[in-house]
Amino acid sequence: MRVGDIAPTPLGDLRVVEISDRIAGAYCGKLLVDAGADVVKVEPPEGDPFRRYTLTGAASPEGADSPLFSYLNSGKRSVTSCSDDLLAGADIVVLTANRTEAEAQKLDPQRLGEIAPHCVVVTVSDFGWAGPWAQRPATEFTLQAASGLTGFRGDPAGPPISIGGELGEFMGGVWAAYGALALHRRVRTGGPGGHLDMSMLEAVTLMQSGEWLHSQLLQVPPVRRSVEAPSIEQAKDGYVGISMVTGQQWLDFAAMVECPEFTEVPALQFQIGRWDYREWIRDRIDPWLRARTVEEIVELGQLFRLPLAPLGNGATIPAMDHMQQRGVYVDNPAGFRQPRPPWLMSEARPAPLRRAPSVGDSDGERPWQPRASTSTASCGVRPLSGVRIVDFTAFWAGPAATHALAAFGADVIKIESVQRPDGIRYSGGMRKDVDDWWEYGWVFHAMNTNKRSVTLDLQSPDGLRLVKELVRKADAVVENFSPRVMDQFGLGADVLLDINPRLVLMRMPAFGLSGPWRDRVGFAPTMEQIAGLAWVTGLPDGPPIAPRGACDPLAGAHAAFALLAALEYAERTRRGQLVEVPMIETVLNVTAAQTMEYEVFGQVMERRGNRGRPDSDQDVYPCAGQDTWVAVSARTDAQRAALAGLTGGALDQWLASRDAETAVETLVQQGIPAAVVISPSLVVENPQLLHRGFFEKLDHPSTGAGWYPCPPFARPDGVDAWLYRTPPRLGEHNAEVLSQLCGLEDAELDRLSADDVIGTRPKGL
């Protein structure tokens, strides 16, 4: 399938029309361009406003596009009008508009379906197209507040703190790209096109760790805001990032910093229990940290297998040795470096990096020829029905990827073992009043619906034989271990692709399969620290604050997109391949503006607290009641004028005596984006999310009924419910899967259980 020495892109002849006025739509288009799609950008004759927009507020040189615009739009074509002929030839239309805005542009999905029955239309709006908040004004800042993301970050002595940057916009963009490819697969397999109505509030809510399930499953009060202890701490020559997810990591940290007393307090085993001891902990580690450089601490941490990291910012990230040796940064034709796409494939390659288009550069070109409709089936089948995935992932990022795939219909078989269950089943807290306490992990519950669980001891001959049989009958394998683990099991890429040459093998290591950091331990907070997100999160006069894992689901969504692109390639060429999606490179792609704007303008993006980007008038303000806050964000002249007219220019005084919910309703009725800052545990009470059905109720055999998160789309035609199976109990589907796919009978299953090759209870309990 190669032409000379040129590798093909994973996507074939895919045609996309992008009509977008926000980062989410542009990033969706960028992801599709990188994978090989032909993307036509529709913009007004005066040009997309993002051509002039910078996150630091610096002015681009006269006649030049901003670095962010060039990054998001490289390789696209530009037109200044949207004709029916153009739409009739498109496979995917990406439109950032609510229902009213779309109707005003005569871009109703039903009409588009009549023009092009094969077409997939993805609409991106703040709240989706239906529900009591559908027309409500919003910004990234107010969406974070409404989702609970803001409400659990920050010292209670000060205000809640939003995540710096536009993380939610990028999350929305990758979900839109994933959904577009998933529904397009239904078209490729003989089904109709359709409309995916995406809500940015739902995409942002998927970046929090299901805290409402935490409250329900562990029977604890709603979580309040705090800061990890320890987290980002002062070393001799700068800040060092510290992340500890497991109890064993806490014990190892205590040994590293020579504080054995840390092991004598049971509450410290879990992150949530350390807050009450934060000053006691910091008093003991501070002298140790300040006597050592960041590099010394990070290197020592690797010996203890601890996820420690230097804090990166726009000036420092590209110079890190790991980024340089892996070739992460590539040249944009506009004259700066940017991170490459966050996936590497052994058979296919990203599209060449080309210039962003000038305004209307394709206005005179003939539109694509219309596609012939090939639909032979109704909508009654889920888009990924028939795709089987063997899932070795654990914790959050990997399961988030397969969670998205399972919701769209893939058969996901989760592989654990009684010797080593998925650690997220019990990281963060345990129930002591139930026998099966490992079944109560809230992040596990949130990210593992619709999957089947099989336990196999991969260090046993029987376990290895059976997992190879499952791989032989799979379309894809997904794993997020450190690079050496699968090879140690005897399940390296060469072995798996020899077993199944059409297999898509996706590996999601923290730092990649090569480079000096290859074997380092890393979780999402580690990536957020290295890639600059932590640097821009926090108060201007305070230390950086950890975004708290939001990049786990962000990495998962990127991996799900890349897997679908690789599956399309496999179905087109009958060739499988290795796909590498390092978490660090997904995060670098969403913080790219920091490094690009430093290179072009010499300005480092700094912490602005809740003030947001330079063109915003925004903050969080206390209201009547104890520790009650409202987020307000005015970006346009009309919003600023409305705010001044309503409050007399003294917003803080106006809010101080008012009930938060009443004040927000008054503000939004005047067209001013605002939201109550809520605990993430309380997001299940949001009327818009309830109306849209973002939460679906499932009755788990151990934990009872609960609300579970869904993909951030209204259910498309043919999908009555996103969720059809509770998160699996350990080994729940051993007999079902191993008899159906491996031909085992009851006597063999009994023998394997007696030998602990399979089981339903962690070994030793």
Side-chain angles (χ1 to χ4, degrees), residues 612-700:
R613 59 195 204 184
D615 65 340
S616 301
D617 289 340
Q618 70 178 37
D619 210 337
V620 296
Y621 301 89
C623 289
Q626 184 177 3
D627 199 30
T628 304
W629 300 79
V630 162
V632 182
S633 177
R635 287 186 176 172
T636 67
D637 290 341
Q639 290 169 353
R640 294 184 183 96
L643 193 58
L646 183 65
T647 67
L651 177 59
D652 53 348
Q653 297 176 26
W654 186 85
L655 284 168
S657 61
R658 283 173 165 78
D659 170 76
E661 292 190 4
T662 303
V664 164
E665 291 304 316
T666 303
L667 289 164
V668 298
Q669 287 170 14
Q670 296 295 315
I672 302 162
V676 179
V677 179
I678 64 165
S679 162
S681 306
L682 302 180
V683 72
V684 287
E685 301 173 5
N686 183 288
Q688 179 67 13
L689 297 178
L690 291 172
H691 179 93
R692 292 256 305 175
F694 174 69
F695 305 106
E696 292 182 359
K697 182 169 282 189
L698 297 173
D699 194 358
H700 190 276

Side-chain angles (χ1 to χ4, degrees), residues 3 76 200 269 612 683 693:
V3 180
K76 299 176 185 177
M200 286 294 298
Q269 183 178 1
V683 72

Side-chain angles (χ1 to χ4, degrees), residues 77-101:
R77 298 188 286 143
S78 169
V79 297
T80 56
S81 63
C82 186
S83 67
D84 285 357
D85 288 342
L86 176 66
L87 296 170
D91 300 306
I92 294 169
V93 174
V94 179
L95 172 64
T96 60
N98 62 30
R99 186 192 298 273
T100 301
E101 293 164 342

Side-chain angles (χ1 to χ4, degrees), residues 191-267:
H195 175 205
L196 277 178
D197 166 17
M198 200 192 90
S199 157
M200 286 294 298
L201 174 61
E202 293 168 23
V204 172
T205 302
L206 284 168
M207 293 196 297
Q208 65 125 308
S209 56
E211 290 295 333
W212 67 92
L213 283 166
H214 178 205
S215 296
Q216 172 200 315
L217 296 173
L218 297 192
Q219 297 182 351
V220 295
V223 67
R224 297 186 62 212
R225 70 182 178 279
S226 62
V227 178
E228 284 78 3
S231 178
I232 297 169
E233 308 295 339
Q234 186 70 53
K236 185 177 183 179
D237 60 344
Y239 290 113
V240 62
I242 302 172
S243 304
M244 283 166 290
V245 176
T246 69
Q248 184 59 53
Q249 287 170 347
W250 176 251
L251 298 178
D252 293 338
F253 177 76
M256 186 186 79
V257 298
E258 303 168 9
C259 291
E261 60 270 33
F262 288 174
T263 67
E264 299 168 1
V265 182

Side-chain angles (χ1 to χ4, degrees), residues 126-147:
D126 290 321
F127 299 105
W129 276 28
W133 290 13
Q135 301 298 319
R136 182 174 289 219
T139 67
E140 162 100 10
F141 182 63
T142 61
L143 292 174
Q144 284 194 30
S147 74

Side-chain angles (χ1 to χ4, degrees), residues 400-412:
T402 51
H403 177 253
L405 297 159
F408 274 77
D411 177 19
V412 176

Side-chain angles (χ1 to χ4, degrees), residues 460-741:
S460 71
D462 282 324
L464 200 58
R465 170 178 59 84
L466 291 169
V467 85
K468 288 180 178 178
E469 185 63 24
L470 294 176
V471 169
R472 188 171 287 111
K473 296 178 179 177
D475 299 287
V477 166
V478 185
E479 64 92 2
N480 66 335
F481 297 123
S482 58
R484 67 188 190 283
V485 172
M486 291 295 279
D487 288 331
Q488 290 174 346
F489 286 141
L491 296 171
D494 291 345
V495 173
L496 295 182
L497 289 169
D498 183 60
I499 292 171
N500 184 348
R502 293 181 61 181
L503 183 75
V504 173
L505 170 57
M506 173 166 285
R507 305 189 66 180
M508 300 173 61
F511 296 106
L513 299 174
S514 63
W517 298 359
R518 173 184 185 271
D519 293 318
R520 286 190 178 184
V521 178
F523 293 94
T526 320
M527 310 305 140
E528 294 160 359
Q529 292 157 3
I530 293 171
L533 269 177
W535 186 265
V536 297
T537 300
L539 299 174
D541 56 351
I545 294 178
R548 281 199 157 164
C551 286
D552 266 318
L554 185 88
H558 279 87
F561 168 81
L563 188 138
L564 288 190
L567 276 177
E568 179 166 332
Y569 178 87
E571 291 164 358
R572 187 173 78 247
T573 66
R574 304 180 68 84
R575 293 176 64 91
Q577 61 183 318
L578 169 64
V579 182
E580 179 187 351
V581 186
M583 188 189 295
I584 185 61
E585 295 188 33
T586 66
V587 185
L588 290 173
N589 268 260
V590 305
T591 62
Q594 291 192 38
T595 59
M596 296 185 305
E597 295 204 10
Y598 176 77
E599 183 174 345
V600 174
F601 305 122
Q603 294 190 22
V604 175
M605 289 177 59
E606 299 287 357
R607 292 177 291 287
R608 291 176 52 85
N610 293 304
R611 305 299 297 179
R613 59 195 204 184
D615 65 340
S616 301
D617 289 340
Q618 70 178 37
D619 210 337
V620 296
Y621 301 89
C623 289
Q626 184 177 3
D627 199 30
T628 304
W629 300 79
V630 162
V632 182
S633 177
R635 287 186 176 172
T636 67
D637 290 341
Q639 290 169 353
R640 294 184 183 96
L643 193 58
L646 183 65
T647 67
L651 177 59
D652 53 348
Q653 297 176 26
W654 186 85
L655 284 168
S657 61
R658 283 173 165 78
D659 170 76
E661 292 190 4
T662 303
V664 164
E665 291 304 316
T666 303
L667 289 164
V668 298
Q669 287 170 14
Q670 296 295 315
I672 302 162
V676 179
V677 179
I678 64 165
S679 162
S681 306
L682 302 180
V683 72
V684 287
E685 301 173 5
N686 183 288
Q688 179 67 13
L689 297 178
L690 291 172
H691 179 93
R692 292 256 305 175
F694 174 69
F695 305 106
E696 292 182 359
K697 182 169 282 189
L698 297 173
D699 194 358
H700 190 276
S702 289
T703 65
W707 292 105
Y708 291 85
C710 298
F713 305 100
R715 299 174 193 88
D717 291 342
V719 177
D720 295 329
W722 285 115
L723 309 181
Y724 47 89
R725 183 180 285 124
T726 61
R729 290 177 292 177
L730 184 66
E732 179 179 349
H733 303 96
N734 285 340
E736 176 183 309
V737 171
L738 296 178
S739 60
Q740 289 178 356
L741 299 182

